[in-house]
Every structure is written in C-alpha cells, then in structure tokens.
Amino acid sequence: MRVTIDLDRDIIIIPDNFFKKIAEENEKLQKYGAEPVKALDRIRHSYEKAMSDTDNRLLTQSNAKTTTRSKKTMTPEEAQKILEAEASKAGNK
C-alpha cells in the first residue's frame, strides 16, 4: 500500500481504501491473537523505518519500480513485537 508525502503542502496522501485495508489486516491479526494496529501507527512505523535507513530506503520513483525489495508478510509474533516496542517507546517519553 502506497502513501505519499506532499512536501509542498505538508500533507500525507493515503489511498481511498486505506482504512478498509487496515481493517482487513487487523482482522487477520486478531484471528491469530495479535493486537490490531492503528492506521496512524502503521504510517508512523513505516515512515520511521524508512527514515532510519535512507541509504537503502530513499528511492526515486523510477528506482522504486525496479527495486528488488519485496513485500514481507508480517507474522502475528512480529506484529506483537512491534506493538510492544512502540508501547515501550511511548512509555519512555
């Protein structure tokens, strides 16, 4: 799922079906006993991950189309670890 950051208007543009897709993913997480992920936390996580490794994750549009980086399916355990790490960071602030 692609999200666009518009630097001219300082806005984040999400697909029309963004919240529907998040709801579907959360249903799958709950099915396997993991906590659902808030939509904004999903954007925040991906943004922070991309910004933490701009050498490999800052791509031009044409490079993004040809990159070999593939989508990785997240297991419920990985989702739980991410949620726990985010909760821990939030508690430390």
Side-chain angles (χ1 to χ4, degrees), residues 2-87:
R2 293 197 174 136
V3 173
T4 303
I5 297 176
D6 185 324
L7 300 177
D8 294 329
R9 297 187 295 167
D10 294 330
I11 60 174
I12 298 171
I13 303 166
I14 59 173
D16 291 335
N17 65 348
F18 177 76
F19 291 104
K20 180 182 176 191
K21 290 280 191 183
I22 295 295
E24 290 171 359
E25 290 176 8
N26 280 337
E27 285 179 22
K28 291 175 188 175
L29 288 173
Q30 286 178 317
K31 179 181 175 182
Y32 294 105
E35 291 290 319
V37 178
K38 293 180 184 174
L40 295 180
D41 289 341
R42 180 73 188 279
I43 293 171
R44 188 174 293 113
H45 169 76
S46 292
Y47 175 81
E48 289 173 357
K49 180 95 170 177
M51 291 303 292
S52 70
D53 185 17
T54 55
D55 289 345
N56 293 312
R57 295 178 181 269
L58 184 62
L59 304 171
T60 63
Q61 196 170 27
S62 59
N63 287 341
K65 290 178 183 177
T66 60
T67 186
T68 58
R69 186 178 300 277
S70 61
K71 182 177 179 180
K72 179 183 161 201
T73 303
M74 185 181 299
T75 65
E77 292 80 17
E78 291 171 322
Q80 187 64 35
K81 286 180 185 177
I82 290 170
L83 290 169
E84 289 170 359
E86 292 295 321

